[in-house]
Amino acid sequence: MSTMRWLVLTFGLVVSLLLFCAQADAQYQYTDAKGVTKTTQYKVDVPGAHRDAAVWIGPIGIGKPGLSEAARQTKQRDDEYRRIGEASSRLVPYQGGSRPGRFDRVPVTVPR
């Protein structure tokens, strides 16, 4: 083969490797305790203390990735349970507790 052919082939290989070896789009960004913004590939790589505050940076822009239908239903159900629990805890003062002395004494029978 000619030298020019090898040169074109090598150049094409290097260019294709540079194009396909770019940084992946799926990333999470978080700010550590010192205030430095860091980016990681997976949310598992984010330290536990900062995991909830990590933000998805990806092909759909800043925000969070779209959820699957099953994950969306699970999130909706969890939100409903949370709202029910919050509403129930707000009703506690109005439910009226037990009256003092009403059920304090339980009769005890001695078996014969």
Side-chain angles (χ1 to χ4, degrees):
M1 289 185 140
S2 68
T3 307
M4 188 62 148
R5 186 178 184 114
W6 279 107
L7 183 63
V8 170
L9 186 63
T10 305
F11 180 75
L13 181 63
V14 169
V15 168
S16 65
L17 284 175
L18 288 176
L19 289 176
F20 292 115
C21 292
Q23 195 170 9
D25 291 333
Q27 296 176 346
Y28 283 91
Q29 189 175 33
Y30 69 98
T31 305
D32 65 0
K34 296 179 183 177
V36 179
T37 301
K38 296 185 177 183
T39 304
T40 61
Q41 185 70 30
Y42 303 104
K43 195 165 186 176
V44 174
D45 297 333
V46 178
H50 307 290
R51 196 166 291 147
D52 290 337
V55 178
W56 170 265
I57 305 293
I60 58 170
I62 297 175
K64 295 195 175 183
L67 298 174
S68 67
E69 184 62 26
R72 189 190 63 73
Q73 289 174 353
T74 301
K75 182 180 182 312
Q76 181 180 4
R77 189 172 41 253
D78 290 344
D79 288 343
E80 290 169 0
Y81 289 148
R82 180 186 49 80
R83 284 193 302 259
I84 289 170
E86 289 173 356
S88 177
S89 67
R90 278 183 266 155
L91 289 176
V92 168
Y94 304 108
Q95 290 176 345
S98 64
R99 293 182 217 146
R102 185 171 177 199
F103 296 108
D104 288 345
R105 295 184 211 139
V106 178
V108 177
T109 59
V110 180
R112 295 181 186 209

